[in-house]
Amino acid sequence: MNTIVTGLQWGDEGKGKIVDYLTESADVVVRGQGGNNAGHTVIAKGTKYVLHLLPSGILWDGKTNVIGNGVVLDPIGLVAEIERLEGQGIAITPEKLLISDRCHVVLPLHKELDAAREAALGDRKIGTTKRGIGPAYADKINRNGLRVADLLDESYFREMLAHRTAEANEVLARFDLPTFDAEQQADEVLAAFARLRPHVTNTIASLHKSWKAGDNILFEGAQGSLLDIDYGTFPFVTSSNTTAGGACTGTGLPPTSIDQVIGVCKAYTTRVGAGPFPSADEGLSDYLHDLGREFGATTGRARGCGWLDAVLLRHGCMVNGTTGLAVTNVDGLDQYETLKICVGYDIDGTRHDLPPADRHAWDRATPIYEEVPGWMSDTTGCTHYDDLPENTKGYLRRLSELCDTPIQFVGVGPDRVQTLVVATG
Ligand code: GDP
């Protein structure tokens, strides 16, 4: 069974827990897009591990983890991540971690170019994590990026990096940002790459071998569908395809290899950073923040919160081909008397069931809400779907109906046992 897990909102949906649950029965865990701007915290056997680029199967023995060709790889960042995990007693061998020779490389200069772009955008800035992900993908599309395979040929890499650095320095100088010495940068990248070299291989071939052998392959999505470069709330998006198609183009495993797509969403909506958020609600934000919920894991910044937005979820389910929903954080709504679900947008007097493309239309989109009764009881102790209060099941049924997708998992707390399995694919 080959399974794609994608977030259906703007990230932070709780994918980590669903991925962790599914990793147990996976033989191979693969990442196909994004870079080390993503990441989640996994608690395993009482220890906390932070993963950015490494697939979550790295915490298990006997699983193959693959960084697919669609990922942009920062060698310095990845080595730091590997060393941190090794320090926590996790062995990372060439059998356990495979890195695609086709991955594009995130260079130190890309991080400064990220800063330069944000500076140039001023008020219109995207709020990137400044990890150089956008500029690395831009170089890929511009066809002047460097790939992992190029790092294998040291003199070629040095020569190409000298060209790229000269170009980048012109841009950086314009913004009074630090410029780069090509030689020093090459030394740093190549020093880090020495640790990664034994892991580099043709991952497309390895993945096809696993597929043909009938292994269970789990595609671990990063970020969320609304951050997808094509299907998200452009321009407030990330630089890759976070939706299910990206799992195929980013790994070399074709659409015909996919058996199921699990879309993860919260029972409400949250968003960090800039961009449209029609169902944002101050009352719900205050309520969740008062419970100590929805603060960013690394920044501590309060996330914006709002009602479940079925317009966005419907769109997400369509473009992902979602076969089952995993609805997390249901427990967050335990004590809210009346809940709202956004079922459409009113834009200039016309009802829309799907999100608009026109970025200005978002400012005029008024949510059309349906009210449903809350359940006013603690769900955190529920261990089976049938234990859930009737109103919780009613809420989930309505969501399923609005998205035309069955509910497969329900999350009622951060613990593993608080993941309820509704139906198996
Ligand atoms: P990701 O960005 O989608 O991978 O999000 P994470 O997996 O990092 O999840 C964010 C946080 O939400 C983590 O601390 C999880 O333990 C927590 N979490 C996940 N599911 C639930 C849930 O159903 N209820 C509660 N209360 N917390 C959850």
Side-chain angles (χ1 to χ4, degrees), residues 327-400:
V327 187
T328 69
N329 290 276
V330 164
D331 52 310
L333 300 177
D334 277 355
Q335 304 300 336
Y336 218 95
E337 208 159 338
T338 305
L339 307 174
K340 290 185 191 177
I341 303 177
C342 170
V343 293
Y345 297 155
D346 180 319
I347 304 176
D348 305 329
T350 305
R351 185 190 166 116
H352 292 253
D353 294 326
L354 291 169
D358 171 7
R359 66 182 80 176
H360 305 294
W362 286 102
D363 303 333
R364 308 192 304 276
T366 313
I368 302 167
Y369 286 119
E370 220 173 73
E371 288 198 353
V372 290
W375 41 93
M376 300 302 286
S377 55
D378 185 357
T379 57
T380 58
C382 297
T383 49
H384 293 95
Y385 181 77
D386 289 338
D387 301 343
L388 291 170
E390 268 320 304
N391 284 357
T392 315
K393 288 189 223 167
Y395 184 74
L396 294 168
R397 257 195 312 271
R398 185 66 186 127
L399 166 61
S400 166

Side-chain angles (χ1 to χ4, degrees), residues 120-257:
L121 284 169
D123 287 351
R124 292 178 296 123
K125 69 172 188 237
I126 310 288
T128 81
T129 51
K130 302 203 178 103
R131 296 254 163 77
I133 310 298
Y137 274 118
D139 279 3
K140 170 177 173 173
I141 302 299
N142 276 334
R143 291 160 293 176
N144 65 350
L146 289 164
R147 305 205 291 184
V148 165
D150 300 322
L151 283 166
L152 296 167
D153 180 347
E154 187 177 326
S155 61
Y156 176 75
F157 175 70
R158 285 185 184 277
E159 189 190 324
M160 294 310 287
L161 188 60
H163 286 300
R164 188 66 195 95
T165 305
E167 278 171 11
N169 281 347
E170 276 179 37
V171 176
L172 296 170
R174 248 185 275 146
F175 291 96
D176 287 330
L177 287 162
T179 53
F180 283 89
D181 176 69
E183 276 308 308
Q184 191 191 339
Q185 202 181 182
D187 290 345
E188 281 169 20
V189 172
L190 288 166
F193 184 64
R195 168 66 185 86
L196 306 178
R197 206 181 170 115
H199 300 270
V200 174
T201 185
N202 178 352
T203 53
I204 303 167
S206 319
L207 286 167
H208 273 257
K209 206 167 148 198
S210 298
W211 178 29
K212 295 298 173 208
D215 288 350
N216 289 326
I217 304 173
L218 178 63
F219 298 75
E220 184 178 343
Q223 291 107 14
S225 299
L226 301 175
L227 295 170
D228 184 285
I229 185 80
D230 285 282
Y231 305 110
T233 46
F234 189 87
F236 301 98
V237 293
T238 194
S239 306
S240 57
N241 284 116
T242 58
T243 47
C248 293
T249 55
T251 60
L253 281 167
T256 45
S257 68

Side-chain angles (χ1 to χ4, degrees), residues 12-17 40 293 328-329 331 411-414:
D12 307 315
E13 295 95 344
K15 292 179 295 295
K17 208 176 64 159
H40 47 242
R293 303 175 73 113
T328 69
N329 290 276
D331 52 310
V412 292

